[in-house]
Amino acid sequence: MKVLVINCGSSSAKFELIDMTNEQSLAKGNCERIGIANPIFSYKNLLTGEKIDKMEVPMENHTVAVELILKTLQDEKIGVISSVDEIDSIGHRIVHGGEYYEKSVIVDDEVIKNLEEIAPLAPLHNPAHIMGIKVVQKLLPGKKNVVVFDTAFHQTMPGKAYMYPYPYEDYTDLKVRKYGFHGTSHRYVSEVAREMLGKEDSKIIVCHLGNGASISAVQNGKVVDTSMGMTPLAGVMMGTRTGDVDPASVIYIMRKRGLSLDEMNTRMNKQSGILGIFGESSDFRDLDTARREGNERAVLAYEMFCYRIQLYIGAYVAAMNGVDAIAFTGGIGENSVGAKQHICEALSYFGIELDKEKNEQRLPGNVELSTKNSKVKIYKIETAEELVIARDTYKLTKE
Ligand code: AMP
């Protein structure tokens, strides 16, 4: 029973093949710059370690890219299967499920119709996902496809959390509301944290801190609030995204700089956040190095990044009227010793106490990082979004 997980972007297709009998990842890779100049293909056989590193290959569209993926997976030398018959089903990561989906579903005509209807809410992502599903249906006919939504886990939020105070018709006519993203990660990490906590009744704050970052408050397994909004632009400061700003500042900058809607959209999504403040890179490791060297803008960006997370944690303690555990995940959440320390130290009022030495040990896997005396558990949990997609796909299609 092998599941192929696919994440199609407008010019990319990430993939991973997982054997569900033992949940072992067999191979993974990425097609980048599909349909644009100098497309590149990366692949790794996870059983032997053999890989193709950023090879330039012509990929004029997603059909060619998925054909290349399937061909490589079956390659005599570096492949992991002898025929596509070994792939039982395909799990697709979908950014936006609107209000239609609170869990993963098997793809049928109605699903495609709904995804097309939701597409304007995620214009950069959903059309690419739909295209990916259609390409896979064409190249792997007869196989079941499952869609797993980034928004689904957040559908339990109450109206008071997901509504924006615009005129009500903007919700009824345009579906403007908070949806939240990174749901597969928040779901997986909160479930692991709940197990580590050993408590069914639990108040958990998940900090997914990667290039994109979001925080969620999960009470008894259900999301009560999350930091991203109608789009992934809201919430904490990110690698290149602003996160929360005064909406009037958007209008002001556009007027003063004479920017179009698209230009402002690019400014807020691609040129802001850590990159915008630091000015040299959006990568947290680069930021950390520059901060240590005394670069003032790096120090400011680092402090802003941590401060905004600290504020959200405070807000979510208030939202749940308490907290049992804070779980850090994502590239920064899992790996940055300094960010975890900086954030936790600022929250000592809540009885949150990080075990500094243990944090500095950079232990692999899922570990508790709080001291014995800490009133709140602090965990570092390795997220596994592809595995969650594969598990859902397997569960829905094995019957
Ligand atoms: P993600 O989007 O989850 O892959 O996370 C990417 C972010 O994680 C980038 O900003 C990286 O700089 C950051 N990151 C990865 N490894 C480390 C590390 N060892 N220390 C600090 N940040 C890291």
Side-chain angles (χ1 to χ4, degrees), residues 197-380:
L197 203 54
K199 223 166 97 157
E200 276 295 297
D201 293 347
S202 54
K203 296 173 177 176
I204 296 165
I205 296 175
V206 178
C207 301
H208 178 108
L209 311 177
N211 190 35
S214 62
I215 320 275
S216 67
V218 186
Q219 189 162 358
N220 304 336
K222 293 202 164 117
V223 175
V224 294
D225 209 341
T226 191
S227 62
M228 282 181 167
M230 184 179 103
T231 74
L233 182 57
V236 294
M237 174 172 159
M238 302 174 222
T240 59
R241 291 177 223 156
T242 54
D244 298 339
V245 291
D246 177 352
S249 67
V250 180
I251 299 162
Y252 183 81
I253 293 171
M254 287 177 75
R255 272 211 192 108
K256 282 286 184 188
R257 296 202 178 277
L259 301 181
S260 67
L261 288 172
D262 282 348
E263 285 166 341
M264 192 60 191
N265 197 28
T266 303
R267 194 172 183 85
M268 297 180 79
N269 275 290
K270 305 239 164 93
Q271 298 162 355
S272 297
I274 290 173
L275 176 65
I277 299 296
F278 172 34
E280 289 176 26
S281 166
S282 61
D283 193 285
F284 202 79
R285 282 165 292 198
D286 297 341
L287 177 75
D288 206 15
T289 308
R291 171 186 77 105
R292 284 168 204 280
E293 288 164 4
N295 178 315
E296 276 178 29
R297 277 173 61 176
V299 172
L300 176 64
Y302 189 93
E303 287 182 351
M304 285 171 70
F305 180 83
C306 294
Y307 178 62
R308 286 169 168 243
I309 293 160
Q310 173 197 336
L311 293 189
Y312 261 100
I313 293 175
Y316 288 169
V317 173
M320 295 190 287
N321 195 15
V323 61
D324 296 310
I326 299 175
F328 289 95
T329 193
I332 302 166
E334 290 169 31
N335 299 303
S336 171
V337 168
K340 285 194 283 281
Q341 189 180 321
H342 207 88
I343 294 163
C344 292
E345 269 178 2
L347 294 164
S348 59
Y349 176 79
F350 294 128
I352 293 167
E353 205 177 276
L354 183 80
D355 184 331
K356 270 196 207 167
E357 275 173 31
K358 202 162 175 198
N359 185 35
E360 278 160 15
Q361 284 167 10
R362 299 174 180 274
L363 298 167
N366 302 331
V367 286
E368 183 179 327
L369 294 175
S370 36
T371 63
K372 270 203 183 121
N373 292 330
S374 181
K375 283 199 208 141
V376 179
K377 299 281 186 205
I378 304 165
Y379 300 128
K380 186 266 291 186

Side-chain angles (χ1 to χ4, degrees), residues 2-241:
K2 294 183 183 94
V3 171
L4 178 63
V5 175
I6 292 212
N7 178 0
C8 270
S10 53
S11 63
S12 67
K14 280 198 199 121
F15 62 96
E16 186 160 339
L17 186 69
I18 302 179
D19 184 346
M20 294 313 289
T21 50
N22 52 7
E23 294 194 337
Q24 181 168 19
S25 192
L26 304 173
K28 66 177 182 180
N30 195 5
C31 303
E32 294 168 86
R33 306 180 58 84
I34 301 168
I36 44 184
N38 315 108
I40 41 178
F41 178 66
S42 308
Y43 172 86
K44 187 167 185 189
N45 177 325
L46 296 161
L47 301 174
T48 61
E50 282 172 289
K51 56 183 175 180
I52 297 173
D53 208 13
K54 301 209 170 213
M55 181 173 72
E56 271 204 40
V57 203
M59 281 185 279
E60 61 265 32
N61 56 42
H62 281 72
T63 305
V64 178
V66 176
E67 274 171 351
L68 176 65
I69 294 170
L70 296 175
K71 200 173 123 219
T72 313
L73 288 171
Q74 297 171 83
D75 186 87
E76 262 184 29
K77 214 171 139 262
I78 54 166
V80 285
I81 50 175
S82 47
S83 142
V84 287
D85 292 343
E86 289 180 44
I87 302 173
D88 291 86
S89 48
I90 303 96
H92 299 261
R93 179 211 174 198
I94 309 289
V95 164
H96 220 306
E99 288 187 320
Y100 282 117
Y101 299 105
E102 55 189 52
K103 27 187 205 270
S104 309
V105 288
I106 294 182
V107 175
D108 58 17
D109 291 347
E110 197 194 333
V111 170
I112 300 278
K113 193 177 118 273
N114 290 342
L115 287 179
E116 278 165 354
E117 193 192 310
I118 298 162
L121 287 173
L124 295 178
H125 294 102
N126 274 30
H129 300 325
I130 298 167
M131 185 172 52
I133 295 169
K134 289 184 174 167
V135 166
V136 169
Q137 283 175 329
K138 188 173 77 187
L139 296 177
L140 295 171
K143 296 203 192 282
K144 285 188 180 147
N145 289 272
V146 168
V147 276
V148 181
F149 301 94
D150 265 23
T151 48
F153 186 52
H154 300 300
Q155 277 293 305
T156 51
M157 273 186 287
K160 68 177 179 185
Y162 72 67
M163 285 298 288
Y164 293 139
Y166 285 118
Y168 196 68
E169 311 82 77
D170 290 347
Y171 169 62
T172 49
D173 300 344
L174 305 176
K175 300 283 172 244
V176 172
R177 52 160 282 182
K178 179 189 279 196
Y179 291 96
F181 298 88
H182 291 140
T184 34
S185 177
H186 287 284
R187 183 173 122 207
Y188 175 78
V189 171
S190 62
E191 276 165 12
V192 173
R194 208 172 174 195
E195 274 166 33
M196 289 170 85
L197 203 54
K199 223 166 97 157
E200 276 295 297
D201 293 347
S202 54
K203 296 173 177 176
I204 296 165
I205 296 175
V206 178
C207 301
H208 178 108
L209 311 177
N211 190 35
S214 62
I215 320 275
S216 67
V218 186
Q219 189 162 358
N220 304 336
K222 293 202 164 117
V223 175
V224 294
D225 209 341
T226 191
S227 62
M228 282 181 167
M230 184 179 103
T231 74
L233 182 57
V236 294
M237 174 172 159
M238 302 174 222
T240 59
R241 291 177 223 156

